[in-house]
């Protein structure tokens, strides 16, 4: 739900000061996420809305799982509330 602490923390990343303070940002898009995987970037958490994944996105999500990257599954309305 939108009141989940992880969701609140992700939404807070809309603020540049929060991103700078945390040293974290929210990335989206298959190309960006694939590049992060290809360069072995540190990924703290993957947020996934399974009902909206296309084939390429599902492949990226499966790779997150294969690499033991934590995955937070959310509903469509919660996903829409993210930055």
């Amino acid at each position: 739900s939108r009141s989940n602490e992880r969701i609140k923390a992700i939404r807070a990343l809309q603020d540049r000061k929060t991103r700078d303070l945390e040293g974290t940002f929210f990335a989206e898009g298959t190309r960006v996420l694939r590049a992060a995987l290809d360069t072995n970037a540190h990924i703290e958490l993957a947020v996934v809305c399974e009902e909206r994944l296309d084939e390429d996105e599902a492949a990226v999500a499966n790779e997150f799982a294969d690499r033991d990257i934590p995955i937070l599954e959310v509903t469509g309305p919660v996903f829409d509330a993210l930055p």
Side-chain angles (χ1 to χ4, degrees):
S1 82
R2 291 183 206 174
S3 62
N4 179 302
E5 290 303 316
R6 286 181 172 171
I7 297 300
K8 287 181 181 179
I10 293 166
R11 292 184 73 208
L13 294 173
Q14 291 176 335
D15 179 57
R16 180 184 202 110
K17 288 181 182 180
T18 302
R19 290 192 305 270
D20 291 345
L21 182 65
E22 298 290 329
T24 302
F25 63 94
F26 185 78
E28 63 181 309
T30 306
R31 188 179 307 166
V32 172
L33 298 175
R34 173 74 52 208
L37 289 167
D38 290 347
T39 60
N40 293 316
H42 174 71
I43 300 171
E44 289 184 27
L45 177 69
V47 181
V48 175
C49 178
E50 274 197 54
E51 62 197 47
R52 296 191 181 172
L53 295 179
D54 64 23
E55 187 175 324
D56 292 335
E57 294 163 339
V60 170
N62 287 335
E63 193 161 343
F64 288 148
D66 291 345
R67 294 186 187 198
D68 294 324
I69 295 169
I71 297 175
L72 176 62
E73 293 184 28
V74 299
T75 63
V78 172
F79 193 81
D80 291 342
L82 296 174

